[in-house]
Every structure is written in structure tokens, then in C-alpha cells.
Amino acid sequence: MGSPGLGTGNSGQRLGITEPISLGGPTEYDVIKTRELEKYLQNVGLYESQEEAVSREEVLGRLDQIVKNWVKAISRAKGLNEQLVQEANAKIFTFGSYRLGVHGPGADIDTLCVGPRHATREEDFFGELHKMLSEMPEVSELHPVPDAHVPIMKFKFKGVSIDLLYAKLSLWVIPEDLDISQDSILQNTDDQTVRSLNGCRVTDQILRLVPNIQNFRTTLRCMRFWAKRRGVYSNVAGFLGGINWALLVARICQLYPNALPNMLVSRFFRVYTQWRWPNPVMLCAIKEGSLGLQVWDPRKNPKDRYHLMPIITPAYPSMNSSYNVSSSTLRIMTDEFQRGSEICEAMEANKADWDALFEAYAFFEAYKNYLQIDISAENDDDLRNWKGWVESRLRQLTLKIERHTYNMLQCHPHPGDFQDNSRPFHCSYFMGLQRKLGVPVNEGEQFDIRLTVEEFKHSVNTYTLWKPGMEIRVSHVKRRSIPSFVFPGGVRPSRPSKATWDSRRASDAKVSGHAGSDKPGEVKGAADGQVDGKKRKRADDSADTQLKNSKYITAVPSSSAEVQAGSPGGTVSPCSLKGDNVDATGLVEPTRGKDESNMTNGSKTSSTDELSSLNSEVDGSLRCIPPHTGLHVTADASSSKEAEKLAIEQIMSGPYVSHQAFPEEPEELEDDLEFRNRVVSVGNTNNGPLQAPVSDAAGAAPIISSNGAGPSISLHASGSIEELEPAELTAMTSIPVAPVVQKKPLIRLNFTSLGKASEKSG
């Protein structure tokens, strides 16, 4: 059991695809602040006790013995001779946070069982091994997921949560000293085995590619905790998961090999605030390999050009570990990086502390409008299966809303779920909604997302293991009506304290925002405050500078930038979704100006003349400075932010290019085109409101909408009727509508027809 042993550091060699930014060692200030950080992380309970550590080791040893007995049993059952039965072996490896050494109390242990060629995944792993585990009294909550992208068996062993994968190698006998880091281990294996092995291979490679493992671990613990506190830790929700954060931190460790965690945290925010996505983050050069497996390369693979925030795994075959990131979640993470950078600078001036950095994000105070997704089932097992499926599809809802509104409606998915104790076998998910910041509000225009939601629910209800009682309901809920069960203790908190970093920052922005609020095209704040016009101007200037300097450009169809006002006929009653740039705490959300209308996936559209003016254009593609050009910055020069900024610019120069042709639609959305075309046709809809089926799997009552003349009325599943304020209707906004494209009908967006959730109904 285990993985190849590694030392505490690799400082004797240069690591990474570029030279470090700084070789400077720690100052006395760094030593003091690092001690403070380590104490802080201990005090918040991020380290397990010695007793728990010993318990985990015992569980892993027991699991290793179980799989060895299992493989001998199936070898004997398959008729192998006694010698082969005695030689038959299987081995347990660990990966993820446990292998990296950054797991906390109660965390899952990611494990991999490696077996011989005659031990099949379907019959033997999910059959015989599953049966063996189910008969053991130490095992509970056994949950196999054989049809997952990476097939997995989840269970608890003596209370320790285990996620177990399986890899069937082409070997007849698995040696006890097997080294799975060798590429030859992948020969003659199926795709599921390659993906299952990838976790272990990537984890071990990360530990080999950082200069100091202990500093890496402390920094990674810090960033994982920060990401969870700020609500950006979740791969399935479109943010980043454990492996993504590990890769980002490892790259910073390479760039500052002699820095302590205090400086590494500060430079993490500084570097990734300046990073121009979709420039990829890589720990080492991508190897083509000799096995013919596909590796990430946007020059060759059209689908790779869709990735907005590429974070590339270092083990062959190299993949983008962050393909789930959407334009909305990338924007949210970029804003959080900026906030982190500001706090770290304030800490250096003794104007902030670690508490400010780790301040929890007030998700349910940040927006005025939310989508609430309720799911339910008949029992615990059904709910667990249904939850896993729905969670895997929630990203589709974000993508659909972004695409169907041409990114005018932005989504912020909450990374977790909430349970109402008064409703068994039920849970809820939430998404914050706001119109795109910096876009003028046109009176009388509105959003209508009925068809988008119906399309999403249709895709969810295609679940092959669906059972009666598995239901889903999507509703629009305003901030004041957020159900109380989402708050700690079921009690809605009072307004945020003025003592927090975010509220102080927002208060300053609110005061300064009055001066710039009259500029044309700006969205004025409502009761919660005004937009800081100066911040927007700085954001616009920064965007211009980044775009002019960009070496990695993705061209988009001109129609995405040249949108026209109007809507495809019909009148629907809106509910309020105002163009507020200030959240309930007064916090100004970073804005983007006119250049954003010409941007897709973080890149600006360029004319042929503009593209040809860039350096090294060859055959319609943009070639960049090779990654191994020197950029060594001395310790003295690194103290200058300008020097660091220049070094970061050079780091982002790489061989990966984005071709001018825009690829086809992402694969995860292609399967919904047929349904969308069947549901709605937007030919002549001038004779009345645009109608859409509004019944949902939860059996909600029909939703009635007025024609816009007066308050909008909606009938809930509970039978209650809520009247929207007429004032809200006039403040509603709409997306510009692009020219009609065959097979892609235009969809207006409106929240009214989505049942409104109340605290009472959840």
C-alpha cells in the first residue's frame, strides 16, 4: 500500500517550465507572519489528531488486506492454478488531499485499487468486492457508482470515509513494489483505468515538482480553507476543486522556491490577479508520450479552445483539470483573487489580519435575486443517487443561462446544498443572479428563463436510474424571501457588522461612488448603494492593457459582439432583476466596461489587422515566446511590483495558440439542441405572450402570468399567490437579442413563471 517515497524538498534543481520570479529568502516579517498563519490554521481545526491519523493508517492497512484476499478469491474462482492464485495480488494507493498531506479531520481518503488483468471492473470489482464489503460489519453507507465518468465505490470503514477507484492493468501479477508513475503502466489499459490512475500519478508528480513540500502543504492548507470560506471550492459547481488548488499553489512554489507560506500566499493572489486566462497554468512541459493518448492542446483539439481557465495536470496524459469553469465562475474567482491581493497588501501595512482574508462570503446577502433548485426522493438511498446526478448537471444550468442570455445574465452557484429538517429526503441548491455589470438598463426590457429552466429539467429527468419520487423544482426567490433553513441554526442573521473587511471596503466605495454615478451607460445602485465609477474606469483600463498585451487570443463570431436591442415578440410579465452593482452589504462588485461586449472567454475579438500586428503570427495562428526563455529576476528587483508584473507577463508566454476559427458548441450542451428546438419556435410570436410548458417534476401548480399591464401574479405549488410590486416591473432589464440563427431559437428570459419559493414551503 502507498506511493513512492518522497523527501521534504527538491530545492537542488530548477522546477517548472520557466525560471523562478524570485530566489529571495524569507525576511523576519515573513517568519513571524508564517508562524501566525500556522497557528491560525491549527486553531480553526484544519489538522487531525494523532489518534485519528493512526486510525486512518489502520483502516488503509485493513483495506489493502481485503483487496489482496479478494483478488486471490476471484483468481481461484476463475480456475487459475494454485501457484497463480498464491501470486495473485492487488494493491491500494492513496491520492488527493490525504496523499498530499493536507487533509483535515473527518476528510475522505481517496484510494485506488490496482488489480491484474483478469480482475474485471464490472463483475469482480463492483460485483465480488462489493459483495465482500457489504457483508463486513465495519463497512457502512456502501454506495457503488459504476457508471460515473470515473467509476467509484464510496463507503465508510470504521467511520472513516473511503472513495475507492479501480485500475485494471495488463499485468498478470501486480508486484508489491509497483511504480505507477511510469508511463508504461498505461499500456493496453481502457479509458476508465487511465482516468482512475490519473489521480495518483498527478498527486505524486505534484510532490516531485515543488521545491519545498512542507511550505507547499502549509500554503495549500491555507488556500483550501480560504477557497471554502469564500465559496469558490467546488469542481462540480464550476469553481475549483482540491487538485486545481494544489496545482495553482504548486506553480507559485516553483516561482518563489525559497519563500515561506506567508509570502507564497501573498504572491498567489498577486500572480493570479494579473494572470490572463485562458493562458494555461502548467508545472512542467506537456509530453506527447508514445502511447497515443490525447493530451491537452488547443492547437490540435478544438474542444480545448473552449476552456476558460486551463490548469494542466503534470502527469501523462496531461489534461485540463478545470474544464468545469464557466465565464460566471471565472469572473467570481478573479474578483476573489483581487480581494485577496488587496488584503495581503493591507496586511503588509498592518491594516488587516488573517481574519480579514478568511472572512466568510455572505452569499445570501450578495444578490437580490436567486434561483432555488429543490430536489426530493422517497428514501435516503434514492436521494443520495438523485443528488449525485443533479449536482453533476447543475453546471449545465449555469452554462445554459449564460449562453441563452449572451452572458447578460450572470450566475453565481453556491457550492453546497442545504437541507430543511422539516422535510425529509429533500435538499436545496441556490444560484445568485444578476445582470451583467456595466451594461445600461433599458426601461421595459426583461429576462425570461422559463424555456432555459424547462430544458435543464428535461435533461435532468433523463436520468437512467430515475425512480418514482425523484423530483426537481426550480423557482425564483428574492433575497428577502430566502428560506431560513439556509442560515446557521435556522435563524436569519442581522445586517452585517460594519467591522468586517468587506463592509468597510463597500462603505468606502459607496461614498466615492456618488461622484461617478452619473456617467452615461452606468447602472445606478438602488437602496443598497452606488457603483464606484472610478473602480470601473480602472477595470476598463486594466482590461484594455491586458488585451493589448495578450499573447493568447480566442476569436469569436462577430455576431456575439454586435447584438441588437429588442425581443422576439410577445409580452411577458417580469419580476425584478435590477442592474445593481452593489450587494446588500454595500460591497461593490468589480465591473467591466465597454470592452466586455467584445470579449468571449476572457479574450477580445480582434480584426485581421490587429491580429497581424502581433508578433510571430504564422499561418493564421499566434505563436508565443518559447517557455524556456530566461526571465530570472534578482531578489532586489523582485521587490518591485513592476518587475514582478513583467516577469508574470513573460511566464504567460508559451507555445499554445488559439486558432482563429471558433469551434462547435461544447459537448455538454450539444445534446440539448433537439429538445430546445422541439420546445419553442420563435417565428411569429406577436399575437401574444411567449408560452412554454411550466409544469415540473414536483407537480407544481400551473403558473399564471399577466400580460405586463399591472402587477404580475404567480401561483405557487402550494396554492399561494404572490403579487410583485409594480415598481419592480419597470426596473426590469433585458438582454440584447442577436440575429436569428438557424437551429438556435432566441429565448427571452423572465423569472415570473418560475414558482416563487417562500420560507414556509422551502
Side-chain angles (χ1 to χ4, degrees):
M1 179 193 72
S3 297
L6 295 166
T8 58
N10 305 297
S11 57
Q13 61 185 92
R14 194 203 80 178
L15 301 168
I17 60 173
T18 66
E19 295 288 342
I21 290 178
S22 170
L23 294 175
T27 63
E28 184 178 351
Y29 170 83
D30 289 324
V31 174
I32 294 172
K33 295 300 289 185
T34 294
R35 287 174 182 163
E36 287 182 8
L37 176 59
E38 291 171 342
K39 184 177 180 180
Y40 190 101
L41 299 179
Q42 289 174 348
N43 290 341
V44 296
L46 295 190
Y47 294 85
E48 68 179 355
S49 65
Q50 184 62 31
E51 293 77 10
E52 187 174 0
V54 171
S55 176
R56 287 176 183 271
E57 287 294 331
E58 291 176 350
V59 166
L60 288 172
R62 180 80 176 97
L63 183 59
D64 191 56
Q65 191 59 49
I66 289 171
V67 298
K68 292 181 188 309
N69 294 338
W70 160 72
V71 79
K72 292 183 186 300
I74 62 170
S75 297
R76 184 173 288 110
K78 291 176 183 289
L80 275 65
N81 63 49
E82 193 58 29
Q83 181 180 350
L84 290 177
V85 168
Q86 293 305 315
E87 292 177 349
N89 190 32
K91 187 172 172 58
I92 291 291
F93 292 84
T94 61
F95 62 101
S97 63
Y98 184 82
R99 173 67 182 126
L100 288 173
V102 296
H103 60 288
D108 298 346
I109 304 181
D110 296 311
T111 57
L112 169 71
C113 173
V114 175
R117 62 188 304 168
H118 60 276
T120 66
R121 178 179 292 103
E122 294 77 13
E123 295 180 3
D124 298 326
F125 181 76
F126 284 108
E128 289 302 315
L129 181 57
H130 176 269
K131 181 181 177 183
M132 287 176 60
L133 292 171
S134 67
E135 295 171 350
M136 294 181 176
E138 309 100 316
V139 175
S140 61
E141 300 181 25
L142 181 59
H143 178 51
V145 192
D147 56 346
H149 186 63
V150 181
I152 187 172
M153 195 138 52
K154 296 172 174 281
F155 56 94
K156 286 187 176 180
F157 196 99
K158 290 186 176 180
V160 177
S161 296
I162 301 289
D163 287 351
L164 181 61
L165 311 182
Y166 181 64
K168 184 187 74 168
L169 302 187
S170 59
L171 305 173
W172 282 105
V173 176
I174 302 298
E176 195 60 26
D177 60 351
L178 178 70
D179 181 3
I180 59 175
S181 67
Q182 300 299 316
D183 292 349
S184 59
I185 207 77
L186 303 174
Q187 285 183 335
N188 302 317
T189 57
D190 58 26
D191 291 342
Q192 292 172 316
T193 289
V194 172
R195 290 192 290 266
S196 297
L197 285 165
N198 193 51
C200 289
R201 289 166 52 81
V202 167
T203 302
D204 286 348
Q205 192 70 352
I206 289 173
L207 293 175
R208 290 189 180 94
L209 290 171
V210 293
N212 185 297
I213 291 176
Q214 188 55 50
N215 289 341
F216 164 74
R217 284 173 170 160
T218 301
T219 307
L220 181 54
R221 280 188 189 273
C222 172
M223 297 314 305
R224 284 163 57 96
F225 179 62
W226 171 85
K228 291 174 182 177
R229 295 284 288 173
R230 300 304 297 173
V232 291
Y233 189 100
S234 174
N235 189 289
V236 71
F239 296 106
L240 302 181
I243 193 64
N244 311 126
W245 293 110
L247 291 168
L248 290 182
V249 169
R251 185 65 180 123
I252 299 302
C253 291
Q254 291 181 339
L255 296 174
Y256 300 89
N258 299 320
L260 290 181
N262 168 70
M263 182 177 178
L264 292 172
V265 170
S266 172
R267 295 309 184 265
F268 178 97
F269 291 118
R270 183 176 296 181
V271 169
Y272 292 123
T273 294
Q274 299 179 38
W275 200 269
R276 291 193 318 275
W277 306 103
N279 285 285
V281 171
M282 301 186 295
L283 300 187
C284 58
I286 295 176
K287 297 189 300 182
E288 288 293 335
S290 59
L291 302 179
L293 299 175
Q294 180 173 302
V295 299
W296 184 86
D297 190 342
R299 299 169 299 183
K300 298 179 180 179
N301 309 320
K303 289 181 180 178
D304 291 346
R305 301 171 202 162
Y306 258 106
H307 298 164
L308 305 185
M309 193 181 189
I311 303 172
I312 311 304
T313 57
Y316 176 78
S318 294
M319 309 173 188
N320 175 25
S321 64
S322 52
Y323 59 86
N324 275 350
V325 173
S326 70
S327 60
S328 285
T329 53
L330 175 58
R331 171 185 55 84
I332 292 161
M333 288 187 285
T334 301
D335 292 347
E336 288 296 333
F337 292 157
Q338 178 64 44
R339 174 188 176 276
S341 182
E342 292 173 3
I343 292 176
C344 286
E345 289 187 12
M347 289 174 65
E348 293 175 5
N350 291 321
K351 295 181 179 180
D353 55 18
W354 292 113
D355 279 328
L357 183 66
F358 297 123
E359 184 180 309
Y361 181 71
F363 179 81
F364 291 107
E365 293 293 334
Y367 299 94
K368 289 191 172 182
N369 294 276
Y370 297 84
L371 278 187
Q372 178 174 338
I373 300 97
D374 294 290
I375 67 170
S376 57
E378 292 288 342
N379 54 61
D380 277 329
D381 286 340
D382 286 356
L383 181 61
R384 182 167 55 247
N385 293 335
W386 187 226
K387 273 184 64 176
W389 169 251
V390 172
E391 286 177 357
S392 72
R393 309 300 286 179
L394 282 176
R395 174 175 169 267
Q396 273 210 351
L397 181 56
T398 300
L399 292 174
K400 289 174 189 295
I401 290 174
E402 290 176 352
R403 186 181 64 175
H404 295 175
T405 65
Y406 304 93
N407 285 320
M408 290 297 166
L409 184 60
Q410 296 175 331
C411 304
H412 183 168
H414 190 284
D417 64 271
F418 299 87
Q419 296 190 359
D420 183 355
N421 292 332
S422 66
R423 301 175 64 184
F425 317 129
H426 164 273
C427 71
S428 301
Y429 302 89
F430 291 85
M431 288 185 182
L433 299 170
Q434 69 177 10
R435 74 185 313 277
K436 182 178 178 181
L437 303 176
V439 177
V441 179
N442 296 321
E443 185 176 352
E445 294 182 335
Q446 56 213 10
F447 290 102
D448 180 345
I449 59 172
R450 289 174 296 182
L451 297 178
T452 306
V453 167
E454 284 303 314
E455 184 179 309
F456 164 72
K457 290 195 298 184
H458 171 82
S459 69
V460 169
N461 285 323
T462 60
Y463 182 41
T464 56
L465 301 179
W466 184 91
K467 294 180 180 179
M470 291 182 175
E471 298 176 344
I472 180 170
R473 182 173 184 265
V474 182
S475 53
H476 165 231
V477 58
K478 292 203 168 185
R479 179 171 59 204
R480 62 175 177 268
S481 301
I482 291 291
S484 58
F485 66 78
V486 306
F487 301 107
V491 178
R492 185 182 297 273
S494 58
R495 301 295 287 182
S497 167
K498 294 295 181 182
T500 66
W501 170 271
D502 286 345
S503 58
R504 287 197 304 268
R505 179 170 173 247
S507 179
D508 294 342
K510 182 176 179 180
V511 172
S512 62
H514 287 286
S517 61
D518 294 326
K519 295 181 181 179
E522 288 192 5
V523 181
K524 295 187 178 182
D528 290 328
Q530 301 287 336
V531 175
D532 185 345
K534 294 182 180 179
K535 280 184 177 288
R536 172 177 297 149
K537 182 62 169 63
R538 288 199 297 271
D540 294 345
D541 294 343
S542 176
D544 280 335
T545 301
Q546 290 187 359
L547 292 168
K548 290 175 183 177
N549 294 334
S550 178
K551 304 290 192 304
Y552 190 113
I553 295 180
T554 301
V556 299
S558 59
S559 61
S560 66
E562 299 173 2
V563 290
Q564 301 175 358
S567 56
T571 304
V572 287
S573 327
C575 79
S576 175
L577 180 62
K578 301 177 183 178
D580 299 307
N581 291 342
V582 185
D583 66 17
T585 65
L587 173 60
V588 174
E589 301 209 348
T591 60
R592 290 163 177 79
K594 61 185 179 180
D595 282 330
E596 192 161 333
S597 65
N598 293 327
M599 295 175 68
T600 295
N601 297 354
S603 302
K604 184 177 179 181
T605 56
S606 304
S607 66
T608 304
D609 293 339
E610 290 173 327
L611 291 173
S612 63
S613 68
L614 293 170
N615 292 333
S616 307
E617 181 181 3
V618 180
D619 299 330
S621 62
L622 303 179
R623 300 197 174 277
C624 308
I625 303 172
H628 287 286
T629 52
L631 54 92
H632 179 66
V633 180
T634 65
D636 291 336
S638 68
S639 63
S640 166
K641 292 182 181 178
E642 288 302 316
E644 277 192 317
K645 185 174 181 179
L646 177 61
I648 294 168
E649 286 290 324
Q650 294 181 10
I651 287 169
M652 286 186 288
S653 299
Y656 295 96
V657 300
S658 183
H659 293 237
Q660 304 310 304
F662 200 65
E664 296 299 317
E665 292 190 305
E667 181 179 8
E668 59 268 30
L669 295 178
E670 290 173 354
D671 57 357
D672 298 312
L673 287 174
E674 181 180 352
F675 174 73
R676 184 165 72 254
N677 292 331
R678 179 174 63 81
V679 167
V680 60
S681 173
V682 287
N684 181 9
T685 57
N686 296 323
N687 295 330
L690 181 63
Q691 299 295 326
V694 293
S695 62
D696 62 28
I703 300 169
I704 303 172
S705 297
S706 71
N707 61 5
S712 170
I713 306 295
S714 60
L715 182 63
H716 306 295
S718 62
S720 62
I721 295 179
E722 178 178 357
E723 181 169 304
L724 302 180
E725 299 88 332
E728 293 178 352
L729 303 182
T730 61
M732 197 56 194
T733 60
S734 171
I735 64 162
V737 178
V740 176
V741 179
Q742 289 294 328
K743 294 181 64 180
K744 297 182 182 180
L746 301 174
I747 298 178
R748 292 173 71 200
L749 303 172
N750 180 306
F751 298 132
T752 304
S753 61
L754 303 178
K756 279 224 170 180
S758 64
E759 272 193 48
K760 184 175 181 180
S761 64

